Amino acid sequence: MPKGANIGLAALGEDTGAVVVGLSWSSAAGDGDADVSLLLLDGGGKVRGDADFYFYNRPAAEDGSVQLLGKVPTENGSEDRISLDLTAIPEDVVRIVVAASRDGGARFGDLDDLRLTLTDGSGEPLLGFSITDATIETAFIFGELYRRNEEWKFRAVGQGYETGLAGLATDFGITVEEVEAEAEVEAESGEGRGTVGEGIGGTGVEEAAVAIPVQRVPAPALGIGVGTDAASVPAPGTAPAGGTAPASGRRRGTRTAKKKVTIPRAPKKSLAENDSWRPARLFPVPSYKSDREREVRATSVLLSVMAEVPEFGRRLTAGFGAPAGRMQTFTEVSLPHGESPKRPDGVIRAERAGKLWTALVETKTNGNPLRSEQVQNYMDIAARRGYEAVITLSNDVALEGSPLVTVKTDGRRKHKVSLWHLSWAEVAHQAQMLIRHEGVGNAAHAWLLQELLHYLQHENSGCHGFQNMGPAWVPVRDGIDTETLCQGDPRAVEVVESWERLIRQVCLRLGGELGQKALPVQRARRGTDPESRRAELADRLCEEGKLSAEVRVDGARSILSVTADLRTGKIRTSMDVPAPDGAYPLSVAKRLLRVLEEAPADLHVETLLDGRNGPRGTLERLRPEPGDLLPGDGAAITGFRLSLFKGMGSGRGSAETGFIRSVDHAVDRFYGSVVTHLGQFEQRRPARTRQAAEPVGVG
């Protein structure tokens, strides 16, 4: 259709009661993107209320008449689609405006192949309209559907705005609330949030309102919008005269800054009759007959979600050098190699600016090890075909200086192939960070990640991360118990490596729960290589019988320590908390015990003095007598050491009685029952300060 033309839908087909509008574009740079929006207008060319504005923060109508379906990749770019049930549109709505906008000042002139298409309920194309004159516009009205004599018609508009989504919305009577560039996360009420699907235990995928600035533009005054003729569309970026200024103290308006969708922790009330009812899952996990079935299904599930949720796919591949472009994934691809073709478990391809990045994927589940010969074949295939990477994926955790597989690289080849590894624990961590803390672009993406996370965490998936301390665990444990393990024993080094893998996985799991980066602290001399460091730790294990680690969480003032004593069979989790400066010692002790009111009674509290340790006791004993924490000689208190002890599992695996599970439980209990309450103690500062010469009383 040419610009300005119109046509009745009835003349195009019989099934036009429900239609799908698609807005598509492409970009030579590979990074072009835009967001669709839709406005329902009354006879005066205005919305009846802010609820008539559908965009990324309000993607669907409660009656199903309007649904933003999201983006799908096309051959040259992407298409954003809107489903419209015209039979359900309220009678006082006479016009439906279909528009799109770009973020951060990006212009439509930087996109190619701007096009609107309209299909009927069966998917049959009805019409198309291309925009060829876009330049500096940041928002565009592509077209509009309108009623004329009880019939729905379509008009090709092609009208641009320089004021972005906020300016376009304001022109049609939407009250827009501006967002400062420094806007912080703000949790709005649940009223009016969109919900898609059911999560774990019936948890709905809701939109958490997060104010993230997109483009700061001056909001034009309210004025008349699109009339019944195309000529009445306001000029690009202008506000018609005759608008009225909003009254002071007006209600809060629509926020055009993008919300990010996260999933609430609190599950919604289930509609099931009893606990035996299980919610339907997108990725069911039946009882598999073989490890091969687990690998095939896990690979397909993961790669499909990576392709459909751009934030997730880019998060997993950005560190491997993949561009932030259009991604497609494939499984069971046959590639020639010698006498018989090889079939990698998957292929990832990302395109940007006409350049392709390709990675072959080799997957293992259920604790099965990667095979060097298999990975070597894929490295050779990738090198010959000009691919950039081979990615291995298994329950194991890669360590610096301790590769999971050994491959040889032909130095004569000019094209270099990188070998990367992902743990299933890392995959689950990234999914959890996005849907619980950072958010994704829409509710459908959040739901997909929720289903992926449920699949990975299911006991039958085989994707449970590091779950075996290795064959050296039992002989080293027994050797320490009988005092027969000697320094230099290579089995001790294997146990130290397994311990390091376990702590890295603990960091991933803890960071996913907290929404903060958690990393192990490495205390080694500068320039020490990983193998020498682990050999030194192995000798210390033989001598002391202990495995120790420290974890630092972003934003936390103190470091979490974890120690497994193989001689006593105890796991100790602890943290040193500094004492506030200039406070009365007894007041500090009382405040600490108040903060720890809900902590376990067996929590050990030890007073730290300058260069030595002071009084100690359990919370059960100290609560009635806080003064017992004060040193009798009046020495200055520098802090307190808080510790919990737990019995250590003996098995090498991740069963309930295994060592790995006991470490997980110990860290979870300490962080959940102790560390989460310490912020009140560390942040609060006393109003009064005592003089340095004042004597310290006890009692």
Side-chain angles (χ1 to χ4, degrees):
M1 293 181 64
K3 184 175 180 178
N6 61 75
I7 190 172
L9 299 188
L12 300 176
E14 297 180 357
D15 187 14
T16 57
V19 296
V20 174
V21 181
L23 304 185
S24 59
W25 43 77
S26 63
S27 171
D31 57 352
D33 198 8
D35 298 293
V36 303
S37 55
L38 186 140
L39 300 102
L40 305 183
L41 308 180
D42 59 18
K46 296 289 188 64
V47 295
R48 300 167 301 164
D50 289 352
D52 282 343
F53 181 32
Y54 297 95
F55 62 124
Y56 37 71
N57 290 345
R58 187 183 295 113
E62 293 184 2
D63 60 5
S65 59
V66 179
Q67 294 186 66
L68 272 60
L69 302 178
K71 295 180 177 63
V72 295
T74 62
E75 189 67 26
N76 300 314
S78 62
E79 181 183 49
D80 215 337
R81 298 172 301 161
I82 306 170
S83 172
L84 289 172
D85 184 354
L86 298 177
T87 62
I89 298 294
E91 293 184 0
D92 54 345
V93 173
V94 300
R95 188 172 300 276
I96 303 173
V97 173
V98 181
S101 58
R102 302 203 68 192
D103 299 341
R107 304 179 301 182
F108 274 93
D110 299 328
L111 297 178
D112 301 322
D113 307 319
L114 291 171
R115 184 170 175 81
L116 178 147
T117 57
L118 190 72
T119 60
D120 63 17
S122 64
E124 186 69 23
L126 300 177
L127 60 86
F129 165 54
S130 295
I131 296 176
T132 58
D133 56 352
T135 54
I136 62 174
E137 299 85 0
T138 55
F140 245 102
I141 296 176
F142 277 64
E144 56 188 17
L145 292 154
Y146 61 98
R147 297 184 198 261
R148 183 64 58 83
N149 299 326
E150 303 301 323
E151 178 190 0
W152 282 102
K153 304 184 72 173
F154 174 82
R155 177 180 289 115
V157 178
Q159 178 66 60
Y161 282 67
E162 296 178 37
T163 51
L165 180 61
L168 182 149
T170 304
D171 277 354
F172 293 113
I174 298 292
T175 303
V176 174
E177 177 182 352
E178 296 184 64
V179 181
E180 296 293 337
E182 296 83 7
E184 296 180 354
V185 173
E186 178 183 347
E188 294 183 350
S189 66
E191 183 178 353
R193 292 178 182 172
T195 301
V196 178
E198 292 292 325
I200 297 175
T203 301
V205 180
E206 298 187 358
E207 289 192 2
V210 178
I212 299 179
V214 180
Q215 178 185 11
R216 181 167 176 79
V217 294
L222 301 183
I224 59 172
V226 175
T228 55
D229 298 318
S232 64
V233 177
T238 64
T244 58
S248 59
R250 63 173 172 81
R251 63 178 175 80
R252 186 172 182 173
T254 297
R255 179 166 293 185
T256 57
K258 279 189 176 180
K259 295 176 184 176
K260 289 291 187 177
V261 180
T262 57
I263 293 177
R265 288 182 177 273
K268 283 187 173 181
K269 182 180 179 181
S270 175
L271 300 180
E273 285 188 4
N274 54 62
D275 293 340
S276 66
W277 289 23
R278 294 288 181 265
R281 313 288 348 175
L282 179 64
F283 308 122
V285 190
S287 297
Y288 293 102
K289 297 180 179 179
S290 67
D291 288 336
R292 180 57 182 165
E293 289 180 353
R294 284 190 178 90
E295 292 174 7
V296 170
R297 184 163 180 80
T299 304
S300 182
V301 167
L302 173 63
L303 295 187
S304 63
V305 176
M306 288 175 62
E308 291 301 321
V309 185
E311 302 97 325
F312 181 61
R314 291 169 186 169
R315 180 71 62 88
L316 291 182
T317 58
F320 304 156
R326 184 167 63 101
M327 179 181 292
Q328 286 190 354
T329 54
F330 309 86
T331 59
E332 296 298 309
V333 175
S334 179
L335 298 173
H337 184 68
E339 298 180 356
S340 60
K342 300 298 179 183
R343 293 180 179 271
D345 292 317
V347 177
I348 302 173
R349 305 202 88 175
E351 180 189 31
R352 179 167 183 172
K355 296 182 179 179
L356 277 176
W357 179 91
T358 306
L360 304 181
V361 180
E362 170 61 14
T363 303
K364 295 294 179 184
T365 58
N366 211 34
N368 292 317
L370 294 160
R371 293 186 297 164
S372 295
E373 179 183 0
Q374 200 171 26
V375 177
Q376 182 71 66
N377 288 336
Y378 297 146
M379 291 288 288
D380 294 340
I381 292 173
R384 287 199 307 270
R385 301 183 70 86
Y387 298 161
E388 283 72 21
V390 172
I391 300 173
T392 57
L393 183 62
S394 73
N395 286 344
D396 216 336
V397 178
L399 299 178
E400 182 184 3
S402 182
L404 297 175
V405 291
T406 303
V407 296
K408 297 179 181 179
T409 303
D410 190 345
R412 295 172 297 179
R413 287 198 175 113
K414 294 182 179 180
H415 182 76
K416 304 299 181 183
V417 179
S418 299
L419 177 61
W420 303 95
H421 179 74
L422 265 178
S423 167
W424 285 112
E426 171 72 12
V427 175
H429 166 80
Q430 296 295 356
Q432 190 172 25
M433 289 293 291
L434 284 170
I435 63 175
R436 292 293 184 197
H437 307 288
E438 299 173 10
V440 291
N442 60 56
H445 289 173
W447 179 65
L448 279 173
L449 288 179
Q450 176 83 328
E451 290 296 294
L452 170 66
L453 190 59
H454 180 271
Y455 174 85
L456 296 178
Q457 293 174 340
H458 196 282
E459 59 183 5
N460 290 335
S461 71
C463 307
H464 305 130
F466 180 75
Q467 55 183 354
N468 197 311
M469 291 295 290
W473 169 252
V474 173
V476 167
R477 183 201 64 197
D478 293 345
I480 289 175
D481 184 51
T482 58
E483 298 186 5
T484 57
L485 187 67
C486 301
Q487 292 187 355
D489 193 321
R491 295 175 299 180
V493 177
E494 293 180 30
V495 170
V496 167
E497 289 182 347
S498 296
W499 170 252
E500 189 173 334
R501 289 187 170 96
L502 173 57
I503 294 301
R504 288 182 180 273
Q505 181 162 290
V506 167
C507 289
L508 289 172
R509 193 171 50 80
L510 184 62
E513 289 294 327
L514 301 176
Q516 299 289 344
K517 182 179 292 185
L519 294 173
V521 178
Q522 302 287 5
R523 300 190 184 275
R525 293 185 298 272
R526 186 182 299 273
T528 303
D529 66 275
E531 292 184 1
S532 299
R533 178 177 58 82
R534 294 185 187 115
E536 183 179 338
L537 293 174
D539 288 343
R540 192 181 306 169
L541 170 63
C542 297
E543 181 181 354
E544 301 176 357
K546 295 179 180 179
L547 292 166
S548 299
E550 293 178 313
V551 175
R552 182 187 298 277
V553 178
D554 275 2
R557 297 180 59 192
S558 304
I559 292 176
L560 170 67
S561 298
V562 184
T563 301
D565 192 329
L566 277 64
R567 287 199 175 104
T568 63
K570 297 286 186 180
I571 296 174
R572 174 176 180 163
T573 47
S574 62
M575 180 174 284
D576 291 355
V577 182
D581 296 331
Y584 290 110
L586 183 58
S587 299
V588 172
K590 288 181 177 180
R591 189 193 321 154
L592 176 64
L593 297 184
R594 283 198 303 269
V595 166
L596 297 174
E597 182 179 2
E598 298 180 6
D602 60 341
L603 177 70
H604 286 239
V605 182
E606 181 179 5
T607 304
L608 303 178
L609 309 177
D610 190 10
R612 61 189 176 93
N613 296 339
R616 69 184 70 181
T618 63
L619 273 184
E620 185 177 25
R621 185 178 68 82
L622 293 170
R623 278 169 175 157
E625 295 292 340
D628 288 350
L629 279 173
L630 307 184
D633 58 0
I637 298 176
T638 60
F640 301 92
R641 178 166 296 157
L642 310 177
S643 305
L644 276 179
F645 294 86
K646 174 182 172 55
M648 188 185 79
S650 57
R652 71 179 188 179
S654 60
E656 192 64 34
T657 58
F659 175 72
I660 293 175
R661 188 70 63 88
S662 63
V663 172
D664 286 340
H665 287 173
V667 173
D668 289 348
R669 182 175 183 238
F670 185 78
Y671 223 99
S673 63
V674 179
V675 180
T676 54
H677 304 295
L678 292 178
Q680 306 170 47
F681 178 77
E682 294 178 334
Q683 296 173 5
R684 182 178 173 184
R685 289 295 179 266
R688 298 181 299 169
T689 59
R690 64 178 176 87
Q691 296 181 0
E694 179 181 338
V696 179
V698 180

